[in-house]
């Protein structure tokens, strides 16, 4: 097994647009030829578009684009811009009078970061789709859907950190599997059982430990949340592969790939998370579905960490690279 760049997986294109001043953005994953796609939604507060059609019992054969976006539910408008551009390019389901692109989306909550009035819209989705069609390599950190990501929010924004967008891909023989992840978690990001980034302690000399903090305050749940954390969290992403999988296998792949979120984020899939993961399959490479799932989970896990390491301090949320108590050799 070797690492590779995710844009090297054939059939897929990636584009993103961000508003750094507003603190939001969107990322588009395209498969112009259409990808067999599954989805797994585990968070208790998701925001998605057109995911029901991905159920294996439905007749949606392929998907042409997946949108990962900030802006909470408002950000779903960005998918309309992707559809508009794809229709102009003749990419979509032929319905005789036009083509209808199949575009799915998942959102994260970044309205309390930067400007509340800044939300991904049709124009931003259109621009991100244009960027994807150019076939450029995807960037990491404060880009696309990662722009407004923050993590470690359980103790309030003054102790939170900057999240970001990350990618990771692996090659095993002819098989290629990669992941694009935007980490906006309530909790901490961990590596080898140690907190890599998350909620900081009072004097900024270490991490508070979100899971332990929640356990210690378990009897004060209503006081802790009281609506303040509703929708503020979420890890969203997309797995892409050249494995020849059917729709049911793609749905299972998305579910197995969620293991990567559980390994990298603690806690994961919480009440106010909207954790959602797509899996797009386009190719003819025969592969054991379980092997593809193992690689996908590893890619998701590492992509989350890469997004944290690539993020930069923005709007008062310090990045991992700027913490005085973190070794940059980690």
């Amino acid at each position: 097994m070797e690492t590779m760049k995710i844009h090297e997986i054939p059939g897929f294109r990636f584009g993103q647009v961000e508003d750094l001043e507003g603190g939001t953005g969107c990322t588009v994953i395209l498969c112009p030829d259409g990808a067999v796609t599954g989805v797994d939604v585990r968070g208790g507060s998701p925001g998605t578009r057109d995911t029901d059609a991905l159920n294996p019992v439905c007749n949606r054969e392929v998907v042409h684009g997946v949108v990962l976006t900030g802006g909470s539910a408002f950000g779903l408008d960005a998918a309309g811009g992707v559809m508009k551009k794809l229709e102009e390019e003749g990419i979509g389901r032929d319905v005789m009078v036009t083509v209808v692109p199949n575009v799915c989306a998942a959102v994260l909550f970044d309205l309390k970061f930067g400007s509340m009035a800044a939300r991904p819209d049709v124009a931003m989705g259109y621009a991100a789709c244009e960027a994807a069609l150019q076939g450029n390599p995807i960037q990491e950190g404060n880009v696309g859907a990662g722009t407004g990501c923050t993590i470690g929010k359980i103790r309030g924004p003054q102790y939170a950190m900057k999240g970001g967008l990350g990618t990771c891909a692996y090659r095993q023989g002819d098989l290629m599997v990669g992941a694009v992840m935007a980490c906006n978690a309530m909790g901490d990001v961990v590596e080898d059982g140690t907190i890599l980034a998350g909620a900081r302690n009072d004097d900024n000399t270490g991490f508070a430990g979100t899971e332990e903090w929640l356990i210690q305050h378990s009897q004060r749940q209503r006081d802790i949340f009281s609506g303040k954390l509703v929708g503020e969290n979420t890890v969203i992403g997309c797995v892409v592969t050249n494995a020849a999988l059917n729709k049911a296998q793609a749905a299972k792949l998305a579910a197995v790939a969620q293991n990567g979120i559980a390994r990298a984020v603690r806690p994961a899939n919480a009440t106010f998370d909207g954790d959602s993961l797509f899996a797009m399959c386009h190719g003819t490479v025969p592969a054991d579905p379980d092997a593809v799932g193992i690689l996908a989970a590893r890619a998701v896990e590492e992509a989350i960490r890469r997004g944290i390491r690539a993020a930069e301090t923005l709007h008062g949320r310090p990045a991992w690279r700027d913490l005085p108590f973190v070794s940059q050799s980690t």
Side-chain angles (χ1 to χ4, degrees), residues 203-224:
D203 54 6
N204 200 35
T205 59
F207 298 113
T210 297
E211 287 195 329
E212 291 306 312
W213 196 93
L214 276 168
I215 292 171
Q216 291 172 13
H217 295 82
S218 61
Q219 299 302 304
R220 295 174 50 230
Q221 183 178 8
R222 292 305 97 190
D223 293 336
I224 292 170

Side-chain angles (χ1 to χ4, degrees), residues 13 18 39 128 152 168-169 191 194 218 242 272 306:
R13 299 183 184 184
E18 54 279 337
V39 67
C168 179
E191 184 172 47
T194 300
S218 61
N242 66 346
F272 299 114
R306 285 179 59 88

Side-chain angles (χ1 to χ4, degrees), residues 11-17 27-33 64-65 81-92 101 125-137:
F12 297 98
R13 299 183 184 184
F14 308 86
Q16 42 200 359
V17 173
T27 298
V28 176
I29 302 98
L30 297 183
C31 183
D33 295 332
H64 303 98
V82 176
M83 289 192 67
K84 178 177 172 61
K85 180 59 180 175
L86 291 179
E87 182 187 22
E88 292 175 0
E89 297 294 324
I91 297 171
Y126 187 96
C129 189
E130 279 189 316
L133 290 170
Q134 294 173 5
N136 296 324

Side-chain angles (χ1 to χ4, degrees), residues 21 25-26 41 51 53 57 86 126 139 150 166 169 177 179 185 190 214 217 247-248 278 288 291 304 311-313 321:
E21 183 177 352
C26 69
V41 180
T51 51
V57 304
L86 291 179
Y126 187 96
Q139 304 300 312
T150 53
V177 185
V190 300
L214 276 168
H217 295 82
K247 196 172 176 182
F278 297 92
D288 183 292
I304 290 171
E312 300 178 27
T313 297
R321 64 177 69 187

Side-chain angles (χ1 to χ4, degrees), residues 169-199:
Y170 297 110
R171 184 199 320 261
Q172 177 63 45
D174 293 331
L175 176 63
M176 305 176 193
V177 185
V180 179
M181 301 298 301
C183 185
N184 189 51
M186 170 190 70
D188 308 321
V189 174
V190 300
E191 184 172 47
D192 297 327
T194 300
I195 297 175
L196 178 69

